[in-house]
Amino acid sequence: MKYIIFDFDGTIGDSQSLIVKTLQDTMRAKKMEVKSDEACAKTIGLRLDEAFVSLFGMSAEEGMECAATYREIFLDNKKTMIVQPFPHVIETLRELHRQGFILGMASSRNHCSLDGYVKQMQLEDIFSSIVAGDDVGHVKPAPDMVFMALGEMKGMKNPVTSAEAGDVEDMLDEVLVVGDMTFDVDMAHNAGCKACAVTYGNGTREQLASAEFIIDDFAELLGLV
C-alpha cells in the first residue's frame, strides 16, 4: 500500500456521544420523535441530511432543514463535549507519514467541521488530501470521495468525479481505506480498492466482515501495511 484514506468519526475521533446527543437535541428542537442512541449511532457516516432522511423517511428538503438545525446545536454541544482521538491514533498516523505513506481523509461531515478537528489534533501537516461531505456530489458509500482524494494526492488541479475515475485507476491497487462503518467498506469496494475496518468505532465486527482487513487497535495498521 502507498495511499491510505481514513474516515474520521469512529476511526480517528471518538465522536459518537457528541453526534448522538446532537441528533437527539435536534429531534427535540424540531418536536420529532427522539430516536434511541443505537438508532442514531447507526447513521454515523452518512451526511447529516441523509441521516435524518434515513431515520424518519422524510424528504430531502426536510433532511436539509434538520441538518441546518443540527449544525446550530452542534456549535454549542462541542464546547463541552470535546472529541478526542482514539488510543494510538496520533502516533500511528505520524509514523505512517514518516515512513512515506501518503495519507488522506474522507469524512461525511462538512469541511469546516472536519478542518477544525484536524487542526485541534495538530494533524494538518500529515494529510495530503481532506475530502468532506460538502466537497462531492455523492457521499459514502459512493466512491466519489476516494477518487477526489486520490486526485488531490496525485497533484491534479481539478477534483476527480466518478465519471473521471480512470484518471486515478492506476493508483487503486495501492490504496487502503480505513473506517469503522459499512459505508466506508462499501465506498472502498465501489472505488475498486481494499478496506480495513476498525472494531472500536460505530460498527460491529459482524457488520464489517466484508472488509479485507479488520483491526481492534489503530496501531495494528503499522504491521498491516
Side-chain angles (χ1 to χ4, degrees):
M1 298 298 168
K2 180 178 180 181
Y3 308 95
I4 310 177
I5 300 173
F6 297 92
D7 171 52
F8 179 79
D9 295 293
T11 302
I12 290 176
D14 187 1
S15 57
Q16 184 184 101
S17 58
L18 172 58
I19 294 172
V20 169
K21 183 180 188 306
T22 308
L23 284 169
Q24 292 171 336
D25 286 350
T26 302
M27 295 167 198
R28 294 185 186 97
K30 303 286 283 186
K31 302 193 182 309
M32 301 157 66
E33 175 192 353
V34 178
K35 300 293 186 179
S36 68
D37 290 3
E38 181 181 6
C40 291
K42 286 181 179 178
T43 69
I44 296 175
L46 292 173
R47 196 167 58 196
L48 278 176
D49 56 306
E50 294 184 343
F52 284 102
V53 170
S54 172
L55 285 165
F56 293 98
M58 58 177 54
S59 69
E61 183 178 352
E62 290 171 321
M64 293 294 288
E65 292 174 358
C66 287
T69 301
Y70 175 104
R71 292 189 181 100
E72 292 175 3
I73 296 171
F74 179 83
L75 292 175
D76 284 330
N77 286 350
K78 75 173 186 176
K79 294 175 184 176
T80 55
M81 302 180 71
I82 306 301
V83 174
Q84 299 290 349
F86 284 102
H88 309 135
V89 163
I90 302 299
E91 55 265 48
T92 300
L93 286 172
R94 293 203 169 279
E95 178 60 19
L96 289 168
H97 182 253
R98 188 193 68 79
Q99 291 183 16
F101 291 95
I102 301 175
L103 309 181
M105 187 180 289
S107 169
S108 294
R109 69 171 52 246
N110 69 64
H111 212 120
C112 179
S113 174
L114 191 57
D115 283 345
Y117 282 123
V118 170
K119 185 176 181 179
Q120 172 197 313
M121 296 180 185
Q122 299 181 340
L123 296 172
E124 309 102 298
D125 60 322
I126 71 166
F127 287 108
S128 299
S129 171
I130 296 177
V131 178
D134 49 353
D135 293 328
V136 294
H138 304 285
V139 293
K140 303 173 185 180
D144 298 41
M145 285 186 172
V146 171
F147 296 144
M148 183 173 180
L150 291 178
E152 292 181 352
M153 290 170 166
K154 195 173 183 178
M156 298 171 63
K157 293 182 179 180
N158 298 315
V160 179
T161 67
S162 295
E164 301 162 334
D167 292 333
V168 295
E169 190 172 3
D170 59 320
M171 305 166 72
L172 294 175
D173 288 341
E174 299 178 294
V175 177
L176 183 67
V177 172
V178 183
D180 69 308
M181 294 289 277
T182 55
F183 307 120
D184 302 303
V185 176
D186 292 343
M187 176 181 69
H189 293 164
N190 288 336
C193 53
K194 291 182 172 60
C196 174
V198 303
T199 60
Y200 55 75
N202 299 297
T204 66
R205 182 178 290 272
E206 291 72 25
Q207 292 169 338
L208 300 167
S210 62
E212 283 77 8
F213 311 101
I214 298 179
I215 59 176
D216 301 311
D217 187 304
F218 197 85
E220 293 177 50
L221 271 175
L222 293 172
L224 185 63
V225 297

